[in-house]
Amino acid sequence: MLSATLQIVSAGKLSQSFEGLSCNNKKLKVFHSDPFDYHSILDALKGCCGLFYSFEPPSDQPTYDEFMADVEVRAAHNVLEACAQTNTIDKVVFTSSATTVIWSDSNSKAPDLDERNWSDLNFCRKFKLWQALSKTLAEKTAWALAMDRGVNMVTVNGGLLMSPDLTIANPYLKGAAEMYEDGVFVTVDLRFIVDTHIHVFEDIASYGRYLCFNHVINCNEDAVKLANKLLPPSQSSLPQSLGIHQQRISNKKLNKLMVAFDSKHRVD
């Protein structure tokens, strides 16, 4: 089960989410840490048994561009190195993205994609898929450090998060038409991805990467619904028929974990 005391380590834009949060509860501790300051991460991790890591662009550079990869890689490197130096850390749950899986010339010709696939870095650079490039490089950096330092790490590679504040500016949406046509445009609800993080942390048998999504956008109805959510009515018109595209991405590994976990925790 999760530790009795929850320690939230926040940084950058994420820290704004915790402003005004009461810390009177002895089971909640909030630390403001800089992912680019290795020592501040070490201080925040003292006594932690687990870390849930997620990167958001810094407030002074809010959008993904060709330079963001350097920023995200540096943050991932510092965090994993700090975890390696923290003796109490049992597991790191590293939040990544499905875009680290789907982008490649060879992937477009392959059968079902899963967590064993990686996006091609040169392909991402060629088509300016900066979010996919950053996430892929950062995750590979994290894995290299985790294996070298003996850190127990699991990644959750989420689809497009269907949060209330989702907008057309979300960098995940770059190449949305191609994802749709290739049958790899996946989305995930907030509750499902939160449950996934908890499950992979608590299950001692969890390992490696987990593609995390609970919906595939591959038909006209789904595409129209998403367009209406992202754009005003005057701009959200789509062709009457976009066709139905076969799903070509699989999260079987995660489904097996979730079923096994739920059966263990079911109360009859």
Side-chain angles (χ1 to χ4, degrees):
M1 296 296 292
L2 289 174
S3 172
T5 300
L6 174 62
Q7 297 185 206
I8 298 175
V9 183
S10 62
K13 291 195 299 182
L14 187 59
S15 64
Q16 298 172 6
S17 305
F18 303 114
E19 289 181 0
L21 187 64
S22 173
C23 296
N24 295 329
N25 190 326
K26 293 181 180 179
K27 292 186 177 182
L28 175 66
K29 297 179 182 179
V30 178
F31 294 85
H32 296 275
S33 184
D34 182 352
F36 308 115
D37 181 350
Y38 172 72
H39 295 289
S40 76
I41 303 170
L42 276 177
D43 290 340
L45 289 179
K46 287 179 181 177
C48 286
C49 66
L51 175 69
F52 295 86
Y53 174 75
S54 178
F55 176 86
E56 285 192 45
S59 56
D60 61 345
Q61 191 179 353
T63 58
Y64 276 87
D65 57 22
E66 59 187 310
F67 306 110
M68 182 58 72
D70 292 335
V71 176
E72 190 159 355
V73 165
R74 187 154 52 99
H77 182 280
N78 286 342
V79 169
L80 264 294
E81 187 63 59
C83 288
Q85 301 303 322
T86 305
N87 294 331
T88 54
I89 292 288
D90 292 326
K91 182 180 285 188
V92 175
V93 180
F94 188 98
T95 306
S96 189
S97 170
T99 58
T100 66
V101 169
I102 62 177
W103 292 115
S104 169
D105 276 328
S106 59
N107 284 351
S108 64
K109 305 182 183 86
D112 281 0
L113 303 178
D114 59 24
E115 58 282 334
R116 292 170 293 184
N117 295 92
W118 284 94
S119 289
D120 181 85
L121 298 176
N122 289 328
F123 184 92
C124 293
R125 290 189 181 97
K126 178 179 178 180
F127 293 99
K128 300 183 179 180
L129 300 163
W130 304 128
Q131 191 257 14
L133 178 69
S134 295
K135 294 296 180 186
T136 304
L137 282 170
E139 187 187 341
K140 286 192 170 187
T141 296
W143 275 119
L145 264 170
M147 289 187 286
D148 183 63
R149 305 288 196 273
V151 176
N152 181 17
M153 188 178 86
V154 178
T155 64
V156 176
N157 297 68
L160 176 66
L161 181 61
M162 301 303 289
S163 61
D165 59 350
L166 177 65
T167 70
I168 193 65
N170 190 299
Y172 187 105
L173 291 165
K174 179 70 180 292
E178 289 76 12
M179 285 189 281
Y180 176 80
E181 292 171 1
D182 287 342
V184 297
F185 193 169
V186 292
T187 67
V188 63
D189 296 329
L190 179 60
R191 180 175 293 276
F192 186 77
I193 199 169
V194 168
D195 285 346
T196 297
H197 278 75
I198 295 171
H199 289 7
V200 298
F201 179 78
E202 292 189 349
D203 195 323
I204 60 173
S206 65
Y207 68 97
R209 310 169 82 204
Y210 288 90
L211 265 172
C212 180
F213 61 89
N214 56 354
H215 190 68
V216 182
I217 297 178
N218 62 346
C219 67
N220 187 71
E221 181 182 355
D222 291 338
V224 169
K225 191 178 296 184
L226 180 62
N228 289 337
K229 178 179 175 63
L230 296 174
L231 298 167
S234 61
Q235 299 179 30
S236 62
S237 59
L238 290 173
Q240 289 187 349
S241 178
L242 296 173
I244 298 176
H245 301 278
Q246 182 179 356
Q247 178 180 337
R248 291 183 47 257
I249 188 167
S250 170
N251 62 349
K252 290 179 181 178
K253 181 183 176 186
L254 176 62
N255 288 339
K256 289 180 181 178
L257 179 80
M258 299 290 267
V259 169
F261 186 91
D262 289 340
S263 64
K264 287 179 185 178
H265 292 72
R266 185 176 296 117
V267 178
D268 296 324

